[in-house]
Amino acid sequence: MYRWCTDEVEPHERFDYWREVRAKGLFGVTAELDRERRGDFHGEFSLSQVGGGGLVELKASPYAVERSQADIGRAPGDSICVYQQLGGGGWFGGMRSSDFAIANGSFATSHTDLPYRTRPLGAAGFHLRILKIPVHGLATQDRRMRELAPKPFNDPALHALLDACFADLGEAAANEASPDSGPLVQALGHLALIERGIVRPGSRRGQAALRTARLSLARRLIARHLQDADLAPSRVADLLGVSVRHLHMLFEAADRSFSQTVTEERLKRSRLLMREAPDRRIADIAAACGFESLATYYRVFNAAYGMAPGDFRAKAAGSR
């Protein structure tokens, strides 16, 4: 993962450096800001290569961005971009389609080689994730992908799935030892194409994207409700909006079953709590992680790690 922040540059040079190196050189866009406001400019971003795509997270003070025909000619991308708005909102305009605003937590998609203008809404500035997927890297090849002017996602059923995939992809980017993130990149790209009517949800690729995204969301729902000792497949299936049978089918295609995933997440959470709260009673930690009894927790922990929770805590304390 490559990270960069304007703190590495002298204050009077920060926006100029951001405009020439970050905006024009790295992303092929033109950045503009009134000269009297440049002294207070701040920006930071990270860039990771994940599963054949590029994942960017960007935070910056307000400024205007344009991807003009000249920019496109100088730095063509031929990629699909999926945007996740994390800040106060943004505006897109100057395109073939209508102008639109994208709210915090919302998503949009576009092809890189169509002109646009954008700016943040309000004084908070930019905060967004961008997944850039080369067209040739998508399993679907359709000429209409190169005609996708920026447009927000309008199907609310896709939002939770997109959010889960982006979260998993961000974790994969931060963890170099993480599994292959190619399926997540393909899922996000094909969910975008489902939204734009290029991929049918019932097609082989559409179903594969939905399975990958639903599995990501199911795992996050499990993590969100770990403290519930009676966390059952029916509860997660209901939250996910699928049948219990479909939920089990999602996990059958993964490396762990539903119950194995729940147990692993509970053990992982308990280890984290023992590190973060060394004085907290182990019985309280077991209950907070959803184990039905202290005896069950000790049995499962010892089977997984070959030691008792107390021994793990002592070992973790000794390594500090």
Side-chain angles (χ1 to χ4, degrees):
M1 178 182 290
Y2 172 68
R3 296 181 181 273
W4 190 80
C5 177
T6 50
D7 290 347
E8 300 178 21
V9 181
E10 292 296 325
H12 68 280
E13 298 177 344
R14 286 175 181 172
F15 183 76
D16 289 341
Y17 192 93
W18 183 271
R19 179 182 59 190
E20 296 303 318
V21 177
R22 201 291 306 178
K24 185 177 294 184
L26 195 56
F27 296 105
V29 297
T30 299
E32 293 297 341
L33 181 64
D34 293 340
R35 187 164 296 279
E36 61 270 19
R37 298 170 57 196
R38 295 182 183 180
D40 297 325
F41 179 80
H42 180 270
E44 58 185 278
F45 73 93
S46 64
L47 171 63
S48 305
Q49 296 299 317
V50 286
L55 180 66
V56 173
E57 182 165 347
L58 180 149
K59 297 181 183 179
S61 308
Y63 66 100
V65 176
E66 180 176 4
R67 175 97 163 131
S68 66
Q69 290 288 3
D71 292 323
I72 294 165
R74 183 179 64 252
D78 196 24
S79 298
I80 297 297
C81 286
V82 186
Y83 307 87
Q84 181 184 28
Q85 183 69 40
L86 299 174
W91 170 87
F92 281 84
M95 308 159 298
R96 299 176 187 173
S97 57
S98 301
D99 297 359
F100 66 89
I102 177 170
N104 183 22
S106 296
F107 301 86
T109 188
S110 70
H111 187 270
T112 54
D113 296 347
L114 294 175
Y116 67 86
R117 295 194 303 273
T118 184
R119 64 172 184 268
L121 297 174
F126 286 107
H127 186 192
L128 68 159
R129 287 192 184 119
I130 308 167
L131 176 62
K132 186 176 178 181
I133 314 169
V135 166
H136 66 77
L138 282 164
T140 299
Q141 295 295 310
D142 190 303
R143 60 179 178 78
R144 291 175 294 170
M145 289 193 287
R146 295 183 172 88
E147 300 171 1
L148 296 180
K151 185 179 178 182
F153 279 75
N154 293 317
D155 185 352
L158 293 178
H159 282 211
L161 300 177
L162 291 160
D163 188 63
C165 287
F166 259 113
D168 281 356
L169 204 57
E171 291 177 6
N175 181 9
E176 294 181 359
S178 63
D180 176 41
S181 51
L184 287 168
V185 171
Q186 289 289 313
L188 279 163
H190 287 121
L191 289 175
L193 297 178
I194 287 172
E195 165 73 20
R196 302 299 288 266
I198 293 174
V199 170
R200 291 181 296 106
S203 68
R204 180 172 57 85
R205 293 188 177 106
Q207 289 180 340
L210 289 168
R211 282 196 302 271
T212 297
R214 284 170 179 157
L215 182 59
S216 287
L217 180 54
R219 287 170 170 157
R220 294 196 167 269
L221 290 169
I222 287 170
R224 199 175 301 162
H225 296 278
L226 276 181
Q227 71 279 7
D228 300 340
D230 59 348
L231 181 61
S234 57
R235 174 82 183 283
V236 176
D238 185 58
L239 292 169
L240 194 58
V242 300
S243 68
V244 173
R245 174 176 172 75
H246 186 85
L247 178 71
H248 282 303
M249 289 175 63
L250 293 176
F251 282 92
E252 284 173 6
D255 53 353
R256 292 177 182 81
S257 68
F258 176 87
S259 61
Q260 289 171 332
T261 300
V262 172
T263 299
E264 181 182 50
E265 288 299 319
R266 283 176 169 159
L267 288 171
K268 189 188 301 182
R269 178 77 57 84
S270 75
R271 291 171 63 190
L272 179 64
L273 290 176
M274 279 192 283
R275 289 192 185 98
E276 291 182 343
D279 297 326
R280 189 172 180 180
R281 295 172 61 242
I282 289 178
D284 292 341
I285 290 175
C289 295
F291 287 96
E292 59 185 13
S293 70
L294 185 58
T296 299
Y297 176 52
Y298 268 80
R299 175 175 55 79
V300 173
F301 194 99
N302 189 70
Y305 305 119
M307 67 178 75
D311 295 333
F312 170 83
R313 169 177 273 175
K315 185 177 180 181
S319 65
R320 290 194 184 98

